[in-house]
């Protein structure tokens, strides 16, 4: 049987790639699973998509280019950046006809709109609006705690938290370089001016803030990874709690956060029985989110969900990432989950290539039979 080839679509400049350490592990996982995995960028597709310049690792672990025929399936890992290269990628995705394991997801506001249409999702969704001054003033009147987030982007960049306090309004955030921002202003007008400046360069959402300080003065949330397996079924690969740095607006690991096992974190705060209920609810949330988004956007392979658990143990969906990191498992020392988190997208791409190939064969035989 032919060894399947899986292409991984990503940003490339020379032999520099967006996620080199992760991609090295992904290529090795593909080898162990019996497939050939290579990296490529939109500019590497030649001869109307019939040939691709792909990058693999040589015997010394260095990146090496070689020509491949059209891949059997493609796993898209091209992540958002505010660049011309990303615009070129978007144009490429619109016109290329590879067999993709995952479609593109829309921005945070569009995702919220799609999820909100599904009534089963309502109990997990914080109140969210597209940012404008009128919506912000309305939300500031309703909630003592708000988040202002860019429509695109990941890693906690450009997120601003606004909290009413006895001293006025505390503003915490991280700018484009992930540098911490912290200030207190007295008057609402000053808050409005500050947030207007913060949101000037791009579009934002304003979202109900949640009391997630299960650890005093630290943002805490759960990162849950749900992925398709080698049979095409959604499975929760695992989850971990992320505890942010002191007075940080987010819990992101590359922003100074720490990871720990969910049960170990929740049990001392909620007890055994309630912890089981909370975890079950979070997993139900993940499966429902995956189903709702896939029904609208088409075939997907994985989602990283940021789930807030408030002081009463209620789960809230903070954010959905269609191209998530999986370092939470490595940070916790969960070796098996980390390995599975890397291999599952390749397993699903192989399944997709196999089943699509079988479908095409059956169509071909049916066509021949009809001519007899």
């Amino acid at each position: 049987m032919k060894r399947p080839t899986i292409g991984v679509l990503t940003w490339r400049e020379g032999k520099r790639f967006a996620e080199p350490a992760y991609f090295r592990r992904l290529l090795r996982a593909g080898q162990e699973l019996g497939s050939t995995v290579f990296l490529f960028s939109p500019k590497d597709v030649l001869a109307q998509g019939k040939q691709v310049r792909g990058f693999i690792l040589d015997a010394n672990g260095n990146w090496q280019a070689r020509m491949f025929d059209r891949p059997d399936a493609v796993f898209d890992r091209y992540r958002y950046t505010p660049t011309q290269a990303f615009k070129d990628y978007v144009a490429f995705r619109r016109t290329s006809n590879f067999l993709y394991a995952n479609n593109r997801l829309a921005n945070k506001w569009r995702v919220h709109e799609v999820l909100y249409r599904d009534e089963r999702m309502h109990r997990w969704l914080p109140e969210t609006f597209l940012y404008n001054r009128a919506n912000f003033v309305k939300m500031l009147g309703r909630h003592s705690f708000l988040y202002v987030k860019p429509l695109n982007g990941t890693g906690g960049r450009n997120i601003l938290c606004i909290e009413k306090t006895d001293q006025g309004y505390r503003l915490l955030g991280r700018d484009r370089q992930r540098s911490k921002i912290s200030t207190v202003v007295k008057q609402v007008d000053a808050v409005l001016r500050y947030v207007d400046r913060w949101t000037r360069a791009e579009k934002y959402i304003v979202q109900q803030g949640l009391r997630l300080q299960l650890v005093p003065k630290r943002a805490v949330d759960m990162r849950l990874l749900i992925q398709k397996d080698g049979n095409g079924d959604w499975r929760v690969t695992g989850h971990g709690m992320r505890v942010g740095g002191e007075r940080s607006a987010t819990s992101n690991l590359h922003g100074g956060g720490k990871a720990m096992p969910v049960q170990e974190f929740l049990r001392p705060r909620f007890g055994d029985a309630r912890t089981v209920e909370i975890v079950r609810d979070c997993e139900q949330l993940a499966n429902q989110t995956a189903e709702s988004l896939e029904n609208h956007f088409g075939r997907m392979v994985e989602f990283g969900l940021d789930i807030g658990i408030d002081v009463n143990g209620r789960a809230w969906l903070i954010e959905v990432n269609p191209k998530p990191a999986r370092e939470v498992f490595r940070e916790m020392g969960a070796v098996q989950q980390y390995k599975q988190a890397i291999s599952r997208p390749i397993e699903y791409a192989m399944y997709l290539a196999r089943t699509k190939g079988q479908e095409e064969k059956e169509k071909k035989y049916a066509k021949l039979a009809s001519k007899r």
Side-chain angles (χ1 to χ4, degrees):
M1 185 179 170
K2 176 181 171 285
R3 188 179 177 92
T5 56
I6 309 299
V8 179
L9 177 61
T10 184
W11 173 88
R12 176 179 75 79
E13 192 61 55
K15 291 186 179 180
R16 289 192 304 122
F17 298 95
E19 306 171 274
Y22 165 59
F23 287 145
R24 286 174 182 276
R25 294 185 178 97
L26 197 65
L27 266 62
R28 291 188 193 108
Q31 200 167 20
E32 289 171 12
L33 290 166
S35 66
T36 299
V37 180
F38 63 84
L39 309 182
F40 74 103
S41 71
K43 60 190 174 187
D44 294 318
V45 179
L46 312 169
Q48 289 80 48
K50 293 176 183 175
Q51 282 201 305
V52 178
R53 182 192 298 107
F55 288 78
I56 56 173
L57 293 168
D58 66 18
N60 299 315
N62 299 315
W63 294 109
Q64 176 186 31
R66 57 169 270 209
M67 296 305 296
F68 288 90
D69 289 333
R70 181 185 179 85
D72 296 309
V74 172
F75 174 36
D76 184 351
R77 275 300 288 191
Y78 207 116
R79 300 170 92 178
Y80 173 78
T81 53
T83 60
Q84 183 58 47
F86 184 80
K87 290 176 183 175
D88 294 343
Y89 149 76
V90 171
F92 171 80
R93 273 297 320 245
R94 286 198 185 111
T95 56
S96 68
N97 62 351
F98 289 126
L99 175 60
Y100 283 100
N102 49 333
N103 282 296
R104 293 187 61 235
L105 203 64
N107 61 48
K108 291 182 179 72
W109 173 242
R110 188 78 186 98
V111 167
H112 174 80
E113 283 188 311
V114 168
L115 292 176
Y116 194 76
R117 283 197 210 122
D118 187 339
E119 288 188 4
R120 293 169 296 181
M121 293 295 305
H122 284 190
R123 66 192 174 99
W124 294 305
L125 298 176
E127 191 172 24
T128 305
F129 290 98
L130 200 58
Y131 176 83
N132 58 42
R133 187 175 262 216
N135 282 340
F136 181 73
V137 170
K138 179 168 62 177
M139 289 285 277
L140 201 59
R142 286 185 194 175
H143 305 287
S144 61
F145 188 32
L146 294 176
Y147 276 102
V148 174
K149 302 176 179 180
L151 259 59
N152 294 299
T154 58
R157 292 184 185 91
N158 284 16
I159 291 177
L160 186 66
C161 163
I162 301 100
E163 183 176 17
K164 287 181 193 173
T165 69
D166 294 337
Q167 292 76 42
Y169 295 87
R170 178 179 291 116
L171 282 69
L172 289 173
R174 288 188 181 274
D175 63 16
R176 196 176 295 280
Q177 286 73 43
R178 292 202 190 102
S179 299
K180 277 188 186 179
I181 306 297
S182 179
T183 188
V184 175
V185 296
K186 300 279 188 186
Q187 304 297 327
V188 172
D189 285 351
V191 176
L192 296 178
R193 286 195 298 272
Y194 193 100
V195 177
D196 278 346
R197 284 196 305 273
W198 187 274
T199 58
R200 191 166 45 202
E202 54 186 309
K203 290 186 177 180
Y204 281 72
I205 58 170
V206 54
Q207 189 173 72
Q208 169 191 351
L210 305 166
R211 297 295 171 187
L212 306 178
Q213 285 87 352
L214 295 174
V215 176
K217 299 180 182 177
R218 294 178 188 269
V220 179
D221 67 15
M222 177 194 291
R223 165 52 69 92
L224 184 151
L225 183 64
I226 185 168
Q227 299 174 295
K228 293 265 188 76
D229 65 13
N231 295 313
D233 298 319
W234 285 108
R235 302 284 182 197
V236 173
T237 301
H239 30 54
M241 299 302 296
R242 303 184 302 180
V243 182
E246 191 165 357
R247 294 206 176 279
S248 173
T250 67
S251 63
N252 297 75
L253 298 183
H254 40 220
K258 302 294 180 190
M260 63 186 297
V262 168
Q263 285 83 355
E264 183 183 313
F265 179 86
L266 293 179
R267 275 188 193 123
R269 292 160 176 85
F270 295 104
D272 288 348
R274 184 73 178 116
T275 294
V276 170
E277 288 175 7
I278 292 168
V279 172
R280 189 185 298 127
D281 188 48
C282 290
E283 293 184 351
Q284 186 184 344
L285 157 59
N287 278 286
Q288 189 58 59
T289 299
E291 181 187 321
S292 298
L293 292 178
E294 193 168 44
N295 284 345
H296 184 84
F297 292 104
R299 184 169 54 237
M300 304 298 285
V301 66
E302 62 180 354
F303 293 110
L305 273 58
D306 295 344
I307 300 172
I309 297 168
D310 68 20
V311 291
N312 299 311
R314 181 176 174 180
W316 298 85
L317 179 60
I318 300 171
E319 197 163 309
V320 181
N321 189 335
K323 293 170 186 174
R326 48 219 79 213
E327 296 311 298
V328 67
F329 303 118
R330 195 160 67 126
E331 185 88 12
M332 293 190 305
V335 177
Q336 190 54 39
Q337 285 174 313
Y338 185 58
K339 188 175 178 183
Q340 198 170 51
I342 290 167
S343 64
R344 271 188 166 165
I346 300 302
E347 290 172 21
Y348 176 61
M350 290 172 67
Y351 159 82
L352 198 60
R354 187 172 65 247
T355 52
K356 283 289 178 183
Q358 190 59 38
E359 281 176 24
E360 284 170 12
K361 276 184 189 173
E362 286 170 6
K363 282 179 186 173
K364 183 180 174 183
Y365 292 145
K367 195 173 180 181
L368 288 170
S370 67
K371 288 178 179 176
R372 285 176 190 150

